[in-house]
Amino acid sequence: MNDRALRVLEQYELEVISTRRGRGYWYLDTSAGSRILSEYAGTENRAQFQNRVMRAVYEGGYRNVDEILPNKEGALVSRDWEEKRYVVKKWYPGRECDPSNETEVLRAVENLARLHRLMRLEEEDTCYVARPPLEELRAWNAQLRKIRTFVRTRRKRSMFEQMFLDSCERYLAQAAEAASQLSHVSGLLEEFRAEHSGCVCHGDYSHHHILICGYEIATTNFDCCRFDFQVNDLYRFMRKILEKHDWNARFGMHMLESYGRVQPLSHTERRLLYVRMLYPERFRKLAGTYYGGNKAWISRQYSDKLVKMNRQEKAREAFLKQLET
């Protein structure tokens, strides 16, 4: 984002005292408090939906969310002379949650559970409903098989490509097992969604979007929020944290307990969490990054990530056994 983007602020009733660059945004110190200006990939309707979710959270007593503020015309999304879209949001002085700090991570898990209790709307907008889990897993499995076929046809394989083929069958077996188990509970999942319609996921809950503000926590970046099983938020957060902690089973169960103290998981949600954890998500993402990248020069990082992934498998399996019981 360049300095010219600040001209968008002319469309707002803001008394800006100072500005400074952040990671992908401008931080604004204003007479009304902290704000940020950032580019926005969504539409006006998407922004309105986000604010509906945040309004429900705010009215439930959770105030520290990055609500999108209207411009002088009352619109949430503003455009510059190049038709780039921007939004101005409330912001909170603080620092990102430290994923290596177990105490902060457990606070973040409890924070997510509190949010989930409030992230509910009376009516579901079909534009913002997540794809059914089984449909998603089947599509991912088809993609993995396609990538495996592609790598097999390569005459001169790189070190990563050979490592990929050596590991692929094991991860494909896990992927197939996850889809099979999910198909067996698909009826229960449909019943659960019908009984809990209106539940909204954050969609991108990670340590980057959790601000530690002293004794309080602020939650940011609701750009991906949608109607979905809320346990999917917990899955994504736990998976990323556990990867950084070498799939420490003790810590993983503590995260689960911290969430459950605020928002108890049903049997159906716990089963979905297990299947999601069983699915080799990191391998799928690495395969997709490789497939969409430059095949003439393959980064050594791909091999390093696969080596680490394979090394963590025993610890991951140990955690899955505890989670399944």
Side-chain angles (χ1 to χ4, degrees):
M1 186 185 296
N2 55 48
D3 294 8
R4 291 181 297 174
L6 291 173
R7 291 179 57 185
V8 172
L9 294 176
E10 296 172 2
Q11 301 177 38
Y12 292 83
E13 295 283 0
L14 282 176
E15 183 182 343
V16 179
I17 299 170
S18 63
T19 65
R20 65 175 182 272
R21 288 180 183 270
R23 186 174 60 191
Y25 62 85
W26 281 94
Y27 177 86
L28 314 174
D29 183 19
T30 79
S31 58
S34 300
R35 305 286 186 263
I36 62 166
L37 170 70
S38 63
E39 290 190 35
Y40 187 69
T43 63
E44 178 72 18
N45 286 341
R46 155 56 77 172
Q48 290 177 3
F49 174 70
Q50 285 178 232
N51 268 11
R52 279 180 60 203
V53 174
M54 285 185 279
R55 194 174 305 117
V57 170
Y58 190 89
E59 290 174 355
Y62 189 110
R63 305 301 172 88
N64 297 336
V65 291
D66 58 341
E67 177 187 4
I68 303 174
L69 303 177
N71 60 24
K72 294 177 182 178
E73 303 299 322
L76 298 178
V77 180
S78 301
R79 298 174 184 268
D80 66 6
W81 65 98
E82 295 179 328
E83 290 299 307
K84 288 183 179 179
R85 288 172 285 192
Y86 295 87
V87 292
V88 171
K89 299 180 180 181
K90 289 184 178 180
W91 204 245
Y92 305 88
R95 57 174 178 78
E96 289 185 1
C97 172
D98 181 358
S100 66
N101 185 314
E102 291 192 10
T103 300
E104 287 191 7
V105 168
L106 294 179
R107 285 184 65 193
V109 170
E110 291 179 355
N111 179 69
L112 176 62
R114 287 195 295 272
L115 279 172
H116 280 170
R117 292 178 69 89
L118 302 173
M119 291 175 66
R120 302 189 178 191
L121 300 179
E122 292 183 2
E123 296 182 6
E124 291 196 359
D125 187 330
T126 55
C127 295
Y128 308 114
V129 176
R131 183 195 295 191
L134 183 57
E135 180 182 320
E136 187 172 51
L137 260 61
R138 284 173 173 168
W140 288 347
N141 288 356
Q143 181 192 44
L144 273 176
R145 291 192 294 271
K146 178 180 178 181
I147 296 172
R148 178 187 60 181
T149 300
F150 171 80
V151 176
R152 281 175 172 172
T153 62
R154 300 272 286 176
R155 291 186 178 181
K156 293 184 179 180
R157 296 178 191 140
S158 66
M159 178 175 67
F160 168 76
E161 289 169 332
Q162 189 56 54
M163 288 174 59
F164 174 86
L165 287 181
D166 292 341
S167 305
C168 195
E169 295 308 316
R170 174 175 59 190
Y171 290 115
L172 270 174
Q174 292 176 3
E177 177 62 19
S180 175
Q181 291 204 25
L182 198 55
S183 67
H184 292 149
V185 296
S186 59
L188 291 175
L189 292 175
E190 290 177 6
E191 291 177 9
F192 183 88
R193 280 285 289 131
E195 293 173 4
H196 297 80
S197 63
C199 290
V200 181
C201 265
H202 180 282
D204 193 18
Y205 193 81
S206 74
H207 65 278
H208 296 300
H209 304 141
I210 304 161
L211 300 180
I212 306 297
C213 311
Y215 293 106
E216 296 186 342
I217 290 180
T219 308
T220 66
N221 193 17
F222 287 75
D223 294 3
C224 298
C225 66
R226 56 187 178 268
F227 296 105
D228 195 4
F229 296 96
Q230 291 180 328
V231 74
N232 283 333
D233 272 340
L234 178 63
Y235 153 69
R236 294 184 192 97
F237 183 74
M238 285 184 64
R239 179 182 63 80
K240 291 178 182 178
I241 294 296
L242 286 171
E243 285 171 357
K244 296 178 183 295
H245 287 259
D246 286 331
W247 288 92
N248 184 311
R250 174 197 57 81
F251 186 36
M253 299 311 292
H254 282 176
M255 281 192 277
L256 197 57
E257 291 165 5
S258 294
Y259 183 91
R261 280 194 294 268
V262 180
Q263 176 82 327
L265 291 175
S266 69
H267 172 76
T268 301
E269 289 176 300
R270 181 135 181 167
R271 196 63 196 166
L272 178 56
L273 177 63
Y274 170 77
V275 171
R276 286 292 201 185
M277 287 291 185
L278 174 63
Y279 192 86
E281 176 75 3
R282 195 177 181 194
F283 181 77
R284 180 194 70 84
K285 287 189 172 183
L286 179 61
T289 302
Y290 153 78
Y291 189 64
N294 182 2
K295 311 300 187 301
W297 182 83
I298 299 174
S299 172
R300 175 63 184 266
Q301 289 184 352
Y302 291 1
S303 301
D304 292 343
K305 288 180 179 180
L306 189 51
V307 167
K308 182 179 179 181
M309 198 183 309
N310 291 337
R311 178 178 58 79
Q312 291 182 332
E313 267 303 285
K314 285 187 178 180
R316 177 170 170 263
E317 290 172 3
F319 169 70
L320 284 169
K321 286 181 180 179
Q322 287 199 34
L323 183 60
E324 189 178 18
T325 57

